[in-house]
Amino acid sequence: MKHPIIEINNLSFSYQKDVKLAVLQNINIKIFENEFISVVGPSGCGKTTLLKLICGLLDHYQGDIKINGSDPLIARDNHEFGVVFQNPVLFDWRNVFNNVSLPFEIFNSKNKSSKKIDFKKSAMDMIKLVGLEEYCNVYPYQLSGGMQSRVAIARALCYRPKILLMDEPFGDLDEITRSKLNHELLNIWQKTKCTIIFITHNLTEAIMLSDKVVVLSERPAKIKAIIELDLERSKREENNEYKEMFHDLKHLLNIDE
Amino acid sequence: MNIINKHNRWIFPIITLIVVLIFWEVIVQLADIPIYQLPAPSKIFATIIQNLASLIKDTTITFIEAILGFLLANILSIIIAIGFTHSEIFERSFYPYAIALKSIPIIAIAPLLVLWFGYGLLGKIVMAAIISFFPLVVNATLGLKSANQEYIDLMKSLSANKRQILFKLRFHIAIPYIFSALKISSTLSVVGAIIGEMTGAKQGIGFVILMASYNINTPMLFAAIIFASALGIIFFGLMSITESIFFRNYSHIQKKELL
């Protein structure tokens, strides 16, 4: 039996101590290594909150979150995961290379000189992985939205984390760029063999990309369903069963057609 | 109009100045205005030439007081702004006073400073520091706190500590805010030094102004005013140049014009 890399047990969370304001209620998920998990749900249901809890940005939750066996904050310090936020969150005053190598700078300035790492090659590898090697000296404002997202992904992968957490990373991009980046994301996922948790409100995206789709209910979010998708990704588009699944998902989320 | 291009944008203001000076000279001559009321530009110019060495010496003293006060204020206000950013209790206890003190006419405390620090340089430096302190402390706090939550979350997700968030993120975001305050407090520090000198001093351009006024030496008064103004403008210009050198690397970041 495989051991889950992320295990969430009975997770509940509310921003104030008031139960009426609960955001998440009794969430149970097990995520295994090298899985690609999408999380969908009505907007404002708490998808982002779930992600923030996993990466240790929110505290005071009930229940249990274990990432590779440890609490989120410890996992964060061990660089178990990289995060890609809704916006690229690039530093305007740093060029592409310096944006991508930011995590290493943080690591080096926290550690003694003996432990410091020479990050030039690692950062370059990540920049190559997202196909931006010709843009190293370019500043974020000179990049398109899609390119900015790639920089954010390269930065998140810097420490070569086992897990990549993504919060609607391509939400603001146009359809064409989006599907291109989705395709590239799958390539990156296969190359790096990382585990991806991908939050999205786009059902097609969820169905096309993932091994499992976690469907959350309206606030307070509970797990409505976990759908396993085992058909090869390239065949999903034409498959009728998957077309039905798309409608089932819409039904689950109460989206009128 | 092709004449108004970048290269000769100075021509029109200079023409205006020359016309005004000629007009002034002619009016004073024709109307026979007494020199203690309004000296002709030629008289003011002659006074400047006669007293050039002492005027430069006094202006330099004022400049030293202003720049030392300015530096003192900057160091303190950045440290305090960092404190405000990191401690809510500290901020809640003192920030309202920083805002309130900003609107107090600081001139009122000048005699007190003479009482405490005497007629020497120190009182003027303190005066310059006090007057240029508040714009920067308010702006730097605003700037340091204006980092978007998403950026802070990113830094945290990379397990950055508070010091790294301060130096790698907050300071960069705050730079435009800080520079816009530096420009304001550079001229204010000159005002502070002059006020200090006018309240009690034996040298400096403020002292020259005061003496000229007591002696009804109006040409000297004008000369001193011109030097004091030049000092303020030069200081402001120095800050603007520093800013533009700095902004070569930040050219794409919007300058924040606050206050």
Side-chain angles (χ1 to χ4, degrees):
Chain A
M1 172 90 195
K2 267 207 293 183
H3 198 70
I5 191 161
I6 298 179
E7 198 169 359
I8 296 171
N9 284 320
N10 299 322
L11 174 69
S12 298
F13 179 80
S14 52
Y15 276 101
Q16 272 106 30
K17 292 239 161 91
D18 196 347
V19 188
K20 279 179 206 154
L21 292 166
V23 185
L24 300 173
Q25 223 169 47
N26 223 0
I27 305 279
N28 288 290
I29 314 175
K30 277 190 176 66
I31 297 164
F32 295 92
E33 232 167 285
N34 200 19
E35 272 188 328
F36 194 127
I37 308 285
S38 287
V39 180
V40 298
S43 63
C45 76
K47 300 187 289 272
T48 299
T49 307
L50 178 63
L51 195 97
K52 281 191 171 177
L53 282 163
I54 296 172
C55 60
L57 290 172
L58 290 171
D59 216 346
H60 304 297
Y61 55 87
Q62 279 107 49
D64 224 17
I65 305 173
K66 291 286 178 218
I67 298 157
N68 222 358
S70 37
D71 286 336
L73 282 175
I74 294 163
R76 188 165 90 186
D77 286 341
N78 291 335
H79 311 301
E80 300 275 11
F81 54 78
V83 190
V84 180
F85 293 89
Q86 274 174 20
N87 294 309
V89 208
L90 302 180
F91 290 11
D92 292 338
W93 55 92
R94 286 167 171 259
N95 61 21
V96 167
F97 180 83
N98 289 332
N99 262 295
V100 173
S101 53
L102 175 72
F104 292 124
E105 277 180 40
I106 290 170
F107 180 86
N108 278 351
S109 85
K110 269 167 84 176
N111 284 282
K112 291 196 191 105
S113 54
S114 59
K115 272 179 131 184
K116 284 191 199 313
I117 39 173
D118 180 28
F119 52 73
K120 286 212 173 70
K121 195 185 164 292
S122 303
M124 261 327 282
D125 286 348
M126 290 306 131
I127 292 169
K128 276 180 196 154
L129 185 70
V130 298
L132 287 178
E133 55 270 39
E134 277 162 31
Y135 294 87
C136 277
N137 296 318
V138 169
Y139 284 86
Y141 76 103
Q142 296 166 306
L143 296 173
S144 69
M147 285 165 145
Q148 292 185 4
S149 297
R150 287 174 206 219
V151 178
I153 292 171
R155 182 181 55 196
L157 290 171
C158 249
Y159 286 130
R160 301 185 189 253
K162 294 195 190 75
I163 304 159
L164 186 58
L165 304 168
M166 307 182 89
D167 185 6
E168 292 186 34
F170 313 135
D172 292 337
L173 302 175
D174 62 274
E175 201 55 48
I176 299 165
T177 315
R178 191 181 182 131
S179 73
K180 203 175 156 212
L181 278 173
N182 281 337
H183 188 73
E184 280 179 37
L185 181 62
L186 282 178
N187 278 335
I188 290 170
W189 173 61
Q190 273 150 10
K191 270 189 210 160
T192 56
K193 298 198 166 48
C194 61
T195 309
I196 295 184
I197 300 184
F198 188 86
I199 286 177
T200 179
H201 56 247
N202 187 317
L203 300 178
T204 325
E205 204 171 63
I207 291 175
M208 294 310 297
L209 291 174
S210 18
D211 297 314
K212 280 183 197 165
V213 179
V214 176
V215 186
L216 295 180
S217 70
E218 266 170 43
R219 210 165 179 161
K222 296 173 201 148
I223 293 185
K224 252 189 172 172
I226 297 180
I227 299 165
E228 305 225 4
L229 310 162
D230 36 25
L231 190 68
E232 217 176 289
R233 286 177 174 76
S234 55
K235 292 175 187 158
R236 286 181 190 176
E237 213 161 340
E238 284 89 43
N239 190 293
N240 281 327
E241 204 181 312
Y242 277 74
K243 279 179 188 160
E244 263 172 48
M245 195 172 280
F246 182 75
H247 294 292
D248 289 349
L249 268 177
K250 274 194 163 177
H251 184 71
L252 269 172
L253 294 169
N254 301 322
I255 301 169
D256 295 320
E257 281 177 61
Chain B
M1 284 267 286
N2 284 334
I3 309 169
I4 308 171
N5 60 35
K6 212 184 163 187
H7 295 291
N8 52 24
R9 64 184 167 144
W10 293 104
I11 284 181
F12 290 94
I14 287 169
I15 290 173
T16 312
L17 181 69
I18 291 168
V19 169
V20 168
L21 287 177
I22 290 170
F23 190 67
W24 179 354
E25 185 79 38
V26 169
I27 294 279
V28 170
Q29 302 280 355
L30 288 180
D32 215 9
I33 298 172
I35 194 164
Y36 63 86
Q37 272 185 348
L38 183 67
S42 57
K43 283 274 190 297
I44 297 168
F45 188 68
T47 312
I48 288 176
I49 297 295
Q50 268 170 25
N51 303 286
L52 193 59
S54 73
L55 278 169
I56 288 174
K57 194 202 86 194
D58 283 304
T59 311
T60 311
I61 287 164
T62 310
F63 183 62
I64 290 167
E65 293 162 354
I67 205 158
L68 288 178
F70 177 73
L71 289 175
L72 183 69
N74 291 346
I75 293 164
L76 272 177
S77 58
I78 298 276
I79 291 169
I80 288 171
I82 292 171
F84 282 159
T85 317
H86 286 95
S87 160
E88 206 179 332
I89 294 173
F90 182 57
E91 190 195 4
R92 287 205 183 170
S93 319
F94 292 103
Y95 192 71
Y97 292 104
I99 300 277
L101 284 172
K102 210 181 86 170
S103 38
I104 284 180
I106 308 266
I107 302 171
I109 67 163
L112 205 56
L113 293 179
V114 176
L115 214 62
W116 287 343
F117 301 106
Y119 290 92
L121 281 189
L122 188 60
K124 285 83 206 168
I125 294 169
V126 172
M127 187 74 216
I130 289 174
I131 206 166
S132 53
F133 172 73
F134 296 105
L136 190 57
V137 84
V138 171
N139 247 19
T141 308
L142 259 174
L144 289 175
K145 293 190 112 187
S146 69
N148 206 312
Q149 187 58 41
E150 220 174 7
Y151 281 79
I152 299 200
D153 281 352
L154 170 83
M155 290 300 277
K156 283 184 180 169
S157 81
L158 298 170
S159 75
N161 55 31
K162 278 188 172 177
R163 186 177 52 86
Q164 291 169 326
I165 293 177
L166 178 69
F167 285 111
K168 292 201 185 293
L169 175 66
R170 289 192 194 275
F171 260 124
H172 294 272
I173 306 263
I175 275 169
Y177 292 83
I178 289 174
F179 265 108
S180 96
L182 285 183
K183 283 194 284 187
I184 296 165
S185 46
S186 65
T187 41
L188 281 179
S189 68
V190 175
V191 173
I194 290 175
I195 292 167
E197 288 164 353
M198 288 172 88
T199 333
K202 296 188 183 80
Q203 52 189 356
I205 205 74
F207 173 72
V208 175
I209 291 173
L210 202 65
M211 283 302 112
S213 138
Y214 283 157
N215 301 330
I216 321 178
N217 185 354
T218 317
M220 193 58 176
L221 191 56
F222 269 94
I225 289 169
I226 289 167
F227 270 73
S229 316
L231 182 56
I233 292 165
I234 288 168
F235 206 171
F236 182 86
L238 278 177
M239 286 333 297
S240 299
I241 291 167
T242 318
E243 185 187 31
S244 58
I245 290 170
F246 223 85
F247 267 96
R248 249 181 241 159
N249 298 327
Y250 289 75
S251 53
H252 39 281
I253 298 176
Q254 287 268 304
K255 292 187 189 183
K256 295 278 186 308
E257 292 298 343
L258 292 167
L259 288 161

